[in-house]
Every structure is written in C-alpha cells, then in structure tokens.
Amino acid sequence: MKEKVFIDTNFFIYALTESQDEEDRWKRNIAVRLFEDTIQSRLIIISSQVLNEFYFNLIRKFSFPDSDIMEIIIENIVPITQIQPVTHQTCIKAYSL
C-alpha cells in the first residue's frame, strides 16, 4: 500500500504554471521533480480547499481563463489525487494535531 501524502496549493501552482521570474522557475523545477517522485511512490491526498485556492490563484495571479483552469484541474490534478472535503471533523482533528 502506498504511503499517503498531503500536497498543498503552492506545490500545484509551481508545478503546473510557468513564470519568467528566475526564482519561480527554480521553484518550478523542484516542484516538478518532487511531483514526478511523489506520484510514483505515494498516494496524494488534497482537500477541496486546495482546489479552490489553486483556482483562485490562477485567476488572480496568472489571469487564466476559467475554462483553462478547469481543464488543468481535470487533466492534471484529479487523476492523481484523492480529494477530501474539509468538514467540521477535519478542522477539529487538524486543531488537535
């Protein structure tokens, strides 16, 4: 059984976008390498909040059209992740941790 790992929003932003900024390109290279290693050896868990934040950031920071963002999510994130809802119980458990 694969070990589970939670991936946060910035990981997807750097791995799935390109920037002219040198530091962002460096972060993208790291994210892509980690991304490739992770999908082969671990079960990726994300929350619905990660998808919402990803969507919001691509609109606000990168001016992506809505349809492009949905295509990126459906083609690149959904097939390799288990998406978990953020529930009241999830919040309580997170606070206790």
Side-chain angles (χ1 to χ4, degrees):
M1 181 176 189
K2 288 185 173 184
E3 182 180 329
K4 294 179 183 179
V5 63
F6 183 88
I7 300 293
D8 200 18
T9 308
N10 285 339
F11 182 85
F12 289 108
I13 289 172
Y14 285 116
L16 298 173
T17 63
E18 293 191 34
S19 173
Q20 298 303 312
D21 182 72
E22 186 176 330
E23 184 176 343
D24 286 347
R25 287 195 313 261
W26 176 77
K27 290 177 183 178
R28 182 181 196 286
N29 289 337
I30 292 171
V32 168
R33 266 187 284 138
L34 289 171
F35 190 70
E36 291 168 350
D37 292 343
T38 302
I39 62 174
Q40 293 179 19
S41 62
R42 294 181 174 86
L43 176 61
I44 300 173
I45 306 293
I46 64 170
S47 68
S48 52
Q49 179 180 340
V50 168
L51 290 179
N52 291 335
E53 290 173 355
F54 180 77
Y55 180 91
F56 176 77
N57 278 290
L58 289 191
I59 285 179
R60 186 173 55 94
K61 292 182 179 178
F62 295 93
S63 301
F64 273 60
D66 179 69
S67 59
D68 289 356
I69 299 170
M70 292 309 299
E71 187 175 317
I72 291 168
I73 290 171
I74 291 167
E75 291 181 4
N76 296 284
I77 298 176
V78 172
I80 62 162
T81 62
Q82 267 188 11
I83 303 166
Q84 300 294 317
V86 177
T87 65
H88 178 73
Q89 292 82 8
T90 306
C91 293
I92 290 172
K93 187 168 185 172
Y95 297 144
S96 69
L97 294 173

